[in-house]
């Protein structure tokens, strides 16, 4: 939960900001590839740069520092988060949200992230 954010602002889960790393666990008994994707909200479009009613959501799985570095922009298609996670293994990640530069709506938006595990 990023909380309430102003237009054209960013928050991340790195220790210097929200300090809320996310951990994904392979609870299966075979190696898995972890994939990740974002979504459009009811009123905002997910993009690689912030704009009018366009927000940015990014992820980072290694060397995520402040200011946020090594972050990759999420799209509405699955992208590889981790290519091979052994059974009982984990992958830590950080997320970063940047709100639109301008918006025609000022209601709460759901900007969920979906994770997928694929046996390899």
């Amino acid at each position: 939960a990023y909380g309430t954010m102003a237009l054209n602002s960013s928050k991340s889960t790195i220790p210097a900001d929200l300090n809320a790393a996310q951990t994904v666990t392979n609870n299966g008994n075979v190696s898995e590839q972890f994939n990740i994707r974002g979504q459009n909200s009811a009123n905002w479009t997910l993009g690689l740069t912030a704009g009018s009613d366009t927000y940015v959501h990014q992820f980072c799985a290694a060397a995520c520092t402040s200011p946020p570095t090594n972050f990759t922009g999420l799209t509405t298609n699955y992208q590889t988060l981790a290519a091979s996670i052994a059974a009982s293994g984990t992958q830590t990640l950080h997320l970063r949200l940047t709100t639109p530069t301008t918006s025609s709506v000022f209601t709460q938006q759901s900007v969920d992230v979906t994770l997928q595990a694929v046996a390899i």
Side-chain angles (χ1 to χ4, degrees):
Y2 294 104
T4 302
M5 295 176 62
L7 285 174
N8 203 26
S9 65
S10 297
K11 282 189 184 177
S12 72
T13 62
I14 62 174
D17 203 353
L18 295 174
N19 195 24
Q22 308 296 300
T23 302
V24 184
T25 303
N26 177 353
N27 290 328
N29 58 6
V30 298
S31 291
E32 295 177 337
Q33 175 176 311
F34 290 163
N35 299 317
I36 188 169
R37 70 181 174 120
Q39 70 171 31
N40 295 323
S41 74
N43 301 103
W44 293 348
T45 301
L46 176 62
L48 296 178
T49 57
S52 179
D53 289 327
T54 301
Y55 81 100
V56 177
H57 217 166
Q58 300 169 299
F59 73 97
C60 177
C64 313
T65 60
S66 179
T69 58
N70 297 329
F71 280 76
T72 300
L74 288 169
T75 67
T76 56
N77 296 315
Y78 280 110
Q79 300 162 263
T80 301
L81 170 65
S84 181
I85 301 296
S88 300
T90 62
Q91 175 65 54
T92 300
L93 73 139
H94 287 280
L95 297 168
R96 182 174 189 238
L97 178 74
T98 302
T99 57
T101 56
T102 61
S103 184
S104 59
V105 297
F106 295 94
T107 56
Q108 180 175 328
Q109 300 295 303
S110 294
V111 292
D112 294 333
V113 172
T114 302
L115 295 167
Q116 175 190 59
V118 178
I120 54 174

